[in-house]
Amino acid sequence: MRRLTVAVLTAVVIASGCGGDATDADAGDITPSPTTTSPTTSAAPTTAPETATTTTVTKTTEPAAVGEWVVHNAEGCVCADGSDYRYMTWAGDPDKVVIFLQGGGACFTAETCEIGGPAQSFSHDITADLEAAQSGAFRRGLFDFDNPENPVGDWSVIYLPYCTGDVFLGTRAHAYSDDVVVNHTGSLNARKGIEHLIANHPNATNVFVTGSSAGAVPSPLVAGLVAEQYPDADVAALGDGAGGYGANPVIMGFLNAQWGIADGIPDWPIAEGIDVTTLGAPDNYILAVNQFDNLRVARFDDAYDSVQAGFASLFALSGGGTVLDVVLESEAYIERAGIDLPVFIAAGNDHTTMLAEDFYELEEGGVRWVDWLSDFVDGEPVTDVKCTDCGSPSS
C-alpha cells in the first residue's frame, strides 16, 4: 500500500496557482466577507495567481463531519470576479471518493463575460450553491445519499463549485475591456480538489471523477491527475452533458489565448509534440486515458440537449450538425485513438443527469441509467446504450 508513503512521507506536490493548503471554513457561515460582497468586474485582479507555484500537501488530522456538507476555503483561489473560491466535502468511506465538478456556462467576450450584464453566459457566484447544499437542496440524484440504489451512496465527496467561465480549464485573468476583467482560473481551482484528496484520502482505492455540463469537459483531465497520484487505485471519469462539443482547433486556439488553457494541460509524456493550444473537449479523453492504464472513462448525453445546442452554436463547436451528430462523431474520434468509451445517450433535449429528478427512473432501450452507472462505477463492463427514437432538435 504505497499511497500513504507517497502522499505524506515523500511530500507529494502538485502544480497549483492558488497557494497554501485548503482550510475548513465555518460550515454555518458561508456569507462572503465585506470585501467580496457584490463584487464587480472592475474589482477583479488584472493578473491571475502565478501558475508556477507548487504546494506541499500534508495529511489533515481533523476528523470530517458526517452527514453534512462542510465548506472549505481554497486559500488564494478566486472566482471570476476576484471573490474567494470555496468548495464542499461530504464524509463517507474515506477510501472511496467522488470528485464532482459543477457546471455553469462559459464566456469569451466582454458582453458574455460582463457580470450582471444582459448577455452574461456563465455562473460566477458560488454562495447560492453553498447555501442550497447546506439546506438539503442537493440531496437528489448522485447526492441522494439515503437512496439504496445510489452507486456512490456511502462514498466521500469533494464538490467543486464553478465560477470562472472557462470550463475549469483556465489559468489566467483576462481583460476584455477596461471594465471587464475576468479571472479564468478554473484549472487552478480544480486542482485544489485534488490537493484535498491527497491530504485527506491518502489510501483511496476508488476515485470517481464526474462533472456536469461545463464540469464535464475537464473531467478526464482531472481524473488523469488523480490517476497520476494514485497509480494503484481504480480511477473512473464520466462526462455528463458535454459530448456535443466538437474539436475546432481555430476556436480552441482563440479560447486558449484568453483563458490560458495550455498552461493548465498536464505535462504528461503523451502530450509531447502535441499543440495543446488547439485541443478540444474530445482530446481530453485521449490524452488522459492513453497516459494512464488505471483510468476508465464514459459519457452521458441527451440526444438533443438544448443547452449544449446553444453553447455549441455560440462557440462554433457544432460543425453545423445537431448535438446527436457531434456526440456520435466525437465518440468515433475518441475510439479511433484506441480509447474504450462506453456512452449512454438518452432521448430528448434535457441537459445533464447527475442532479436530475429522474436520475433513478431514467432508462433507454430497457436499460436503467442508474444500473448502467452502477456497473461502470464498480468496474463492471458496460456497453453503449443509445436511443433509437431520440426525438428531434425542436422536441
Side-chain angles (χ1 to χ4, degrees), residues 7-360:
V8 182
L9 301 182
T10 62
V12 167
V13 295
I14 59 175
S16 170
C18 295
D21 293 339
T23 57
D24 290 358
D26 181 350
D29 181 11
I30 55 177
T31 303
S33 64
T35 59
T36 59
T37 302
S38 301
T40 62
T41 53
S42 59
T46 56
T47 58
E50 291 294 332
T51 58
T53 303
T54 59
T55 300
T56 301
V57 182
T58 56
K59 182 72 173 66
T60 298
T61 57
E62 182 177 349
V66 177
E68 64 179 12
W69 287 105
V70 177
V71 178
H72 305 262
N73 293 323
E75 184 180 350
C77 291
V78 294
C79 288
D81 56 12
S83 59
D84 293 339
Y85 183 70
R86 289 162 291 169
Y87 64 95
M88 301 183 293
T89 59
W90 180 276
D93 186 332
D95 296 337
K96 295 183 177 182
V97 186
V98 175
I99 297 178
F100 181 81
L101 297 111
Q102 185 187 39
C107 74
F108 64 105
T109 64
E111 292 74 23
T112 57
C113 291
E114 181 185 5
I115 294 174
Q120 180 180 346
S121 59
F122 74 104
S123 300
H124 74 282
D125 185 357
I126 62 176
T127 300
D129 296 318
L130 301 178
E131 291 175 343
Q134 292 185 317
S135 71
F138 283 4
R139 295 293 295 273
R140 64 181 188 271
L142 195 69
F143 301 135
D144 183 355
F145 301 111
D146 296 326
N147 193 311
E149 291 192 294
N150 188 338
V152 295
D154 61 348
W155 291 38
S156 294
V157 179
I158 301 170
Y159 187 107
L160 301 174
Y162 175 63
C163 60
T164 50
D166 56 6
V167 298
F168 282 105
L169 293 178
T171 61
R172 67 174 64 145
H174 183 75
Y176 290 92
S177 70
D178 290 342
D179 297 323
V180 180
V181 181
V182 175
N183 285 285
H184 290 305
T185 52
S187 177
L188 311 182
N189 294 351
R191 288 173 188 245
K192 188 61 68 172
I194 302 175
E195 289 182 20
H196 185 98
L197 175 73
I198 295 171
N200 294 275
H201 305 277
N203 300 313
T205 58
N206 299 80
V207 182
F208 176 47
V209 180
T210 186
S212 294
S213 194
V217 174
S219 59
L221 291 179
V222 173
L225 290 169
V226 172
E228 185 174 24
Q229 298 295 328
Y230 293 80
D232 298 330
D234 177 63
V235 183
L238 188 145
D240 170 27
Y245 304 128
N248 184 325
V250 174
I251 295 300
M252 293 310 300
F254 170 73
L255 294 177
N256 175 69
Q258 297 171 326
W259 297 353
I261 298 172
D263 290 335
I265 299 296
D267 187 19
W268 295 328
I270 195 72
E272 185 175 353
I274 296 176
D275 182 2
V276 296
T277 66
T278 59
L279 296 180
D283 297 298
N284 295 340
Y285 290 87
I286 295 171
L287 281 180
V289 179
N290 278 338
Q291 182 65 53
F292 300 105
D293 293 337
N294 61 325
L295 175 57
R296 300 180 292 108
V297 292
R299 287 196 323 202
F300 173 93
D301 286 286
D302 292 283
Y304 296 111
D305 183 326
S306 58
V307 174
Q308 285 197 70
F311 275 102
S313 176
L314 181 66
F315 283 82
L317 295 175
S318 68
T322 66
V323 171
L324 181 57
D325 291 334
V326 180
V327 166
L328 295 175
E329 289 169 6
S330 66
E331 177 194 2
Y333 173 79
I334 293 167
E335 292 185 336
R336 283 196 299 271
I339 307 301
D340 178 22
L341 180 72
V343 298
F344 192 110
I345 303 175
N349 59 0
D350 289 339
H351 182 54
T352 75
T353 183
M354 288 301 180
L355 289 175
E357 297 291 348
D358 66 348
F359 181 88
Y360 294 97

